[in-house]
């Protein structure tokens, strides 16, 4: 039995964040009904938005698998009435529409709680429900990446901020929303009352960069983001092997991991060098040590370093391409990828699994993403 068998979720979501949360719940056994406008979720056309003449939309299919699709025109009384009929039979309502839009539709949390007191309302916004900017439009690049300070911390001061890959902040916030919804459902089991789960991209971003914000709040200044050639911990840095492949040393506990790295390098003499003999000394000579490492690691291909690292207990990881990550046998072993039925007559899609596994439970997608309005008549007919 999947953990959420028997629970019903209604999703009024677009793009990634709320749909991804609902897709997790679908994989975990919930019955999820996706409500779309007559024009459909804009993520259906994600590749066309950037000028590609392609009908397929793998990101949309990934975040909407296992759902039944219903089209309702919420600008009409009939459409709103049908949505409320769905909510009467639902346990959870998930949405990422902005606060003002929900209020205009009479779907804001306060109104919904009056009409459906046992309903768990999960909202995912850019900037929350309070404050002067609550209705500001916010994708994850703005509300999760730029605004909380994440982008500003990834490059040294003075360099331009790096770009974000699509959906990184959305999926983080989606996981937060699922966690909050499950907590609210547990509370409802004890009290019989629904509740409101309020997740924002902004708050998710500040939590994600919490280590740096904790230091900022305590010391009144930011930590320094250094170029890799000046990294304050040479044993916790990236390097390039002789075949051009990059990898990361992850010796965060410097004194503990130092002997293994020297053994792998065959350079125990570095341990006798007064510049590198202690953690304090290494901290004062990071440029010199990184330069030595760069020279040494450039002498062998990554495959040879991998063998040496593993023999000597060095903690490390390769910097993989997406193609390598997709074919990684360890990722396959932990269930990171699944196959799901294609949308409509589309081909089977190999895509990412949810980040959580349940031992002894088959939580693979039961169905693909719905075509626009595919189940409208079926679902509304069940309400009669």
């Amino acid at each position: 039995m999947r953990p959420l068998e028997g629970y019903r979720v209604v999703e009024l979501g677009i793009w990634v964040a709320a749909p991804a949360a609902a897709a997790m719940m679908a994989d975990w056994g919930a019955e999820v009904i996706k409500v779309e406008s007559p024009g459909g979720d804009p993520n259906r056309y994600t590749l066309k938005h950037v000028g590609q003449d392609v009908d397929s939309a793998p990101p949309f299919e990934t975040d909407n698998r296992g759902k039944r699709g219903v089209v309702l025109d919420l600008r009409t009384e009939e459409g709103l009435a049908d949505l409320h009929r769905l909510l009467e039979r639902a346990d959870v309502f998930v949405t990422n529409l902005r606060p003002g839009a929900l209020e205009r539709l009479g779907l804001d949390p306060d109104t919904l709680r009056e009409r459906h007191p046992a309903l768990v309302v999960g909202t995912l916004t850019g900037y929350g429900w309070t404050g002067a900017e609550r209705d500001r439009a916010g994708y994850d690049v703005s509300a999760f990446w730029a605004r909380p300070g994440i982008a500003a911390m990834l490059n040294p001061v003075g360099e331009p901020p790096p770009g974000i890959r699509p959906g990184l902040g959305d999926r983080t916030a989606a996981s937060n929303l699922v966690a909050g919804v499950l907590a609210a459902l547990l509370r409802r089991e004890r009290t019989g009352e629904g509740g409101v789960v309020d997740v924002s991209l902004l708050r998710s971003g500040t939590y994600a960069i919490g280590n740096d914000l904790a230091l900022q709040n305590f010391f009144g200044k930011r930590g320094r983001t250094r170029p890799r050639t000046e990294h304050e911990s040479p044993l916790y840095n990236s390097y390039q092997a002789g075949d051009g492949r990059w990898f990361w040393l992850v010796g965060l506990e410097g004194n503990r991991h130092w002997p293994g790295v020297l053994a792998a390098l065959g350079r125990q003499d570095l341990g006798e060098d007064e510049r590198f003999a202690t953690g304090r000394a290494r901290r004062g000579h990071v440029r010199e040590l990184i330069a030595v490492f760069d020279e040494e690691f450039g002498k062998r291909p990554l495959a040879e370093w991998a063998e040496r690292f593993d023999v000597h207990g060095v903690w490390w990881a390769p910097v993989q391409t997406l193609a390598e990550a997709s074919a990684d046998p360890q990722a396959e072993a932990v269930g990171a990828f699944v196959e799901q039925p294609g949308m409509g007559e589309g081909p089977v899609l190999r895509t990412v699994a949810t980040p959580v596994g349940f031992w002894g439970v088959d939580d693979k997608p039961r169905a693909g993403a719905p075509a626009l309005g595919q189940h409208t008549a079926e679902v509304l007919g069940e309400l009669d």
Side-chain angles (χ1 to χ4, degrees):
M1 181 176 177
R2 301 186 187 213
L4 295 182
E5 293 280 358
Y7 287 93
R8 292 189 180 95
V9 178
V10 173
E11 173 216 308
L12 181 61
I14 58 175
W15 290 108
V16 178
M24 281 192 212
M25 290 186 270
D27 275 7
W28 299 352
E31 175 191 353
V32 179
I33 297 171
K34 180 180 180 69
V35 176
E36 296 179 75
S37 70
D41 182 339
N43 203 26
R44 287 184 178 274
Y45 321 110
T46 182
L47 296 179
K48 292 188 175 182
H49 293 311
V50 293
Q52 297 188 36
D53 188 18
V54 180
D55 289 329
S56 60
F60 174 84
E61 292 193 52
T62 295
D63 292 327
N64 290 281
R65 62 192 182 216
K67 305 174 185 178
R68 292 200 287 172
V70 171
V71 165
L72 297 177
D73 188 348
L74 300 183
R75 297 169 299 180
T76 68
E77 292 184 5
E78 180 182 11
L80 275 173
D82 285 337
L83 178 60
H84 281 291
R85 289 202 296 159
L86 288 173
L87 294 177
E88 286 172 2
R89 302 188 181 191
D91 300 288
V92 178
F93 176 55
V94 170
T95 184
N96 61 341
L97 271 64
R98 281 185 258 175
L102 292 172
E103 288 170 343
R104 288 191 294 273
L105 292 167
L107 298 174
D108 56 281
D110 288 337
T111 302
L112 286 176
R113 290 193 70 191
E114 289 181 8
R115 188 161 181 173
H116 310 285
L119 186 68
V120 172
V121 179
T123 73
L124 206 163
T125 61
Y127 296 99
W129 279 84
T130 55
E133 298 183 61
R134 67 172 204 152
D135 280 310
R136 180 182 293 277
Y139 290 104
D140 64 346
V141 69
S142 53
F144 178 93
W145 187 251
R147 196 72 181 264
I150 297 175
M153 288 300 297
L154 295 183
N155 279 346
V157 173
E159 292 189 11
I164 185 175
R165 300 310 303 164
L168 279 177
D170 289 321
R171 294 181 191 283
T172 300
S175 296
N176 295 341
L177 182 61
V178 172
V181 165
L182 298 183
L185 286 173
L186 285 173
R187 178 180 178 274
R188 193 183 71 168
E189 294 295 321
R190 297 193 300 270
T191 67
E193 298 179 4
V196 179
V197 179
D198 178 1
V199 174
S200 67
L201 290 167
L202 179 60
R203 187 163 167 178
S204 295
T206 57
Y207 184 75
I209 194 78
N211 276 18
D212 284 299
L213 284 172
L215 293 172
Q216 171 70 42
N217 290 339
F218 188 83
F219 293 109
K221 60 182 179 180
R222 59 162 278 176
R224 182 182 172 193
T225 305
R226 303 167 185 261
R228 62 162 296 279
T229 54
E230 301 175 16
H231 196 283
E232 62 186 349
S233 179
L235 297 180
Y236 197 69
N237 199 13
S238 60
Y239 296 95
Q240 190 174 34
D243 56 356
R245 296 294 309 277
W246 286 87
F247 63 92
W248 232 282
L249 290 182
V250 288
L252 183 59
E253 300 175 70
N255 289 332
R256 174 186 176 187
H257 294 107
W258 175 241
V261 171
L262 296 187
L265 286 170
R267 288 294 308 272
Q268 284 85 349
D269 60 294
L270 295 175
E272 305 301 320
D273 190 317
E274 63 180 13
R275 297 172 300 168
F276 312 134
T278 67
R280 181 181 292 275
R282 290 192 293 274
R283 185 177 177 85
H285 297 88
V286 294
R287 289 185 181 183
E288 297 97 315
L289 182 55
I290 291 170
V292 172
F293 281 178
D294 281 339
E295 180 180 359
E296 293 294 331
F297 288 134
K299 295 177 180 178
R300 302 175 186 272
L302 182 58
E304 290 189 27
W305 287 121
E307 292 180 8
R308 286 171 168 257
F309 290 159
D310 290 345
V311 165
H312 294 287
V314 175
W315 294 12
W316 74 286
V319 176
Q320 297 197 135
T321 65
L322 291 180
E324 290 168 336
S326 184
D328 189 328
Q330 186 59 35
E332 191 69 35
V334 301
F337 298 99
V338 292
E339 290 189 347
Q340 65 180 66
M343 182 169 57
E345 300 298 322
V348 171
L349 177 69
R350 184 175 187 268
T351 187
V352 293
T354 71
V356 178
F358 302 94
W359 286 20
V361 175
D362 178 9
D363 56 1
K364 294 181 176 62
R366 289 173 165 169
L372 182 60
Q374 179 178 342
H375 304 100
T376 302
E378 173 187 310
V379 170
L380 296 184
E382 294 170 0
L383 300 178
D384 296 332

